């Protein structure tokens, strides 16, 4: 990538040097792409370089081995949402997860489309229930894209595709209600909306977050990436308080 011009979603920004910043952007066709923004810590750039914002990005690098210089122009701002606790927590977590989990320069158009849709839902929905199911589905898709997908099509024990109610933490496969008898405490609840589509109530949504969170923590957010789980914990706690 000597030169790349694209729209992109800002996922993470960290200070670099006295005035600059390194931003990691999710692009539609080139995956997660980092770049150095000269003056990225300036007053003018701070509201642009916010997670969740959509920008027109220009990456320029001398060689593929060098960090690209990056210039950005704001295309769509979600800055007002950062002043609202629940939307801000959802944006922080979904973008931090994306930046921490995805390998760089690996095309993932389905994830770009899904993250864009999730952020649109956070922006448009009048309450968290309008986007919480989309968040669970985004986490599930990310697991699948990274090779840690859950098999929710049939029961791991019987092969039956009906009455699926749990997921085995060992096999990451669904278990139906009959096969789960006596083992319920060892299994993770499977919310119906992940099998049947549609939405769910708050108990089911929190079950969904518990399910995806278990596999994210076990398989993806390990080593140095584990620090981003704090953003997820803040989000889940805020959701629990909101529906209590």
């Amino acid at each position: 990538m000597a030169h790349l011009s694209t729209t992109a979603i800002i996922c993470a920004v960290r200070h670099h040097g006295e005035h600059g910043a390194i931003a990691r952007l999710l692009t539609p066709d080139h995956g997660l792409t980092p770049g150095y923004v000269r003056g990225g810590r300036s007053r003018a750039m701070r509201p642009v370089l916010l997670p969740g914002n959509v920008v027109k990005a220009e990456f320029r690098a001398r060689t593929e081995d060098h960090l690209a210089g990056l210039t950005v122009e704001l295309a769509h701002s979600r800055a007002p949402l950062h002043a609202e606790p629940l939307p801000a927590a959802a944006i922080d977590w979904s973008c931090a997860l994306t930046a921490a989990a995805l390998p760089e320069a690996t095309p993932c158009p389905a994830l770009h489309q899904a993250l864009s849709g999730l952020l649109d839902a956070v922006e448009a929905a009048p309450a968290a229930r309008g986007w919480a199911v989309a968040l669970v589905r985004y986490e599930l898709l990310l697991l699948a894209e990274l090779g840690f997908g859950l098999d929710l099509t049939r029961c791991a024990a019987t092969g039956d595709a009906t009455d699926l109610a749990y997921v085995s933490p060992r096999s990451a496969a669904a278990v139906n209600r009959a096969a789960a008898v006596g083992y319920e405490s060892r299994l993770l609840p499977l919310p119906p909306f992940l099998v049947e589509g549609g939405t769910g109530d708050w108990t089911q949504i929190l079950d969904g977050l518990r399910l995806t969170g278990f596999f994210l923590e076990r398989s993806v957010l390990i080593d140095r990436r584990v620090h981003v789980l704090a953003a997820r914990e803040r989000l889940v706690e805020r959701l629990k308080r909101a529906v209590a």
Side-chain angles (χ1 to χ4, degrees):
M1 182 199 69
H3 175 233
L4 173 63
S5 178
T6 181
T7 59
I9 301 168
I10 295 177
C11 290
V13 180
R14 65 179 175 86
H15 295 167
H16 186 79
E18 188 174 353
H19 302 292
I22 294 176
R24 307 184 77 194
L25 280 58
L26 186 62
T27 68
D29 301 317
H30 295 80
L32 192 68
T33 307
Y36 173 74
V37 183
R38 188 181 299 274
R41 298 174 63 179
S42 69
R43 182 178 298 178
M45 289 305 301
R46 282 199 297 268
V48 177
L49 294 177
L50 283 177
N53 279 357
V54 179
V55 295
K56 297 177 182 177
E58 293 276 349
F59 295 89
R60 295 182 182 273
R62 293 180 181 178
T63 70
E64 292 186 358
D65 297 328
H66 285 78
L67 178 66
L70 171 61
T71 58
V72 295
E73 177 185 343
L74 186 62
H76 180 70
S77 174
R78 295 190 171 99
L81 295 175
H82 285 265
E84 302 178 31
L86 267 175
I91 292 171
D92 284 346
W93 160 245
S94 57
C95 291
L97 169 64
T98 303
L102 296 187
E104 292 178 359
T106 301
C108 46
L111 276 174
H112 179 274
Q113 183 177 6
L115 180 59
S116 181
L118 169 59
L119 295 172
D120 285 346
V122 172
E123 187 171 18
R129 191 173 171 184
W131 50 258
V133 166
L135 175 61
V136 177
R137 290 199 174 105
Y138 179 70
E139 293 181 347
L140 197 67
L141 176 63
L142 184 140
L143 283 164
E145 290 283 315
L146 293 175
F148 302 108
L150 281 60
D151 182 0
L152 306 181
T153 59
R154 60 189 66 251
C155 176
T158 67
D160 193 349
T162 61
D163 203 22
L164 301 176
Y166 298 92
V167 174
S168 166
R170 288 188 177 183
S171 66
V175 179
N176 68 17
R177 208 172 300 276
V181 171
Y183 298 94
E184 293 91 343
S185 63
R186 303 181 188 179
L187 302 172
L188 296 163
L190 173 60
F193 67 81
L194 289 181
V195 179
E196 303 166 2
T199 187
D201 61 28
W202 275 114
T203 297
Q204 294 166 350
I205 289 168
L206 292 173
D207 281 344
L209 288 169
R210 178 186 171 202
L211 175 66
T212 52
F214 175 86
F215 290 102
L216 285 170
E217 187 169 357
R218 186 182 77 174
S219 302
V220 177
L221 298 176
I222 55 179
D223 301 328
R224 289 178 298 174
R225 293 175 291 182
V226 72
H227 72 280
V228 304
L229 283 170
R232 191 177 200 273
E233 291 169 3
R234 288 193 296 270
L235 170 61
V236 173
E237 285 304 311
R238 287 178 180 177
L239 286 171
K240 288 178 178 178
R241 289 198 298 268
V243 303

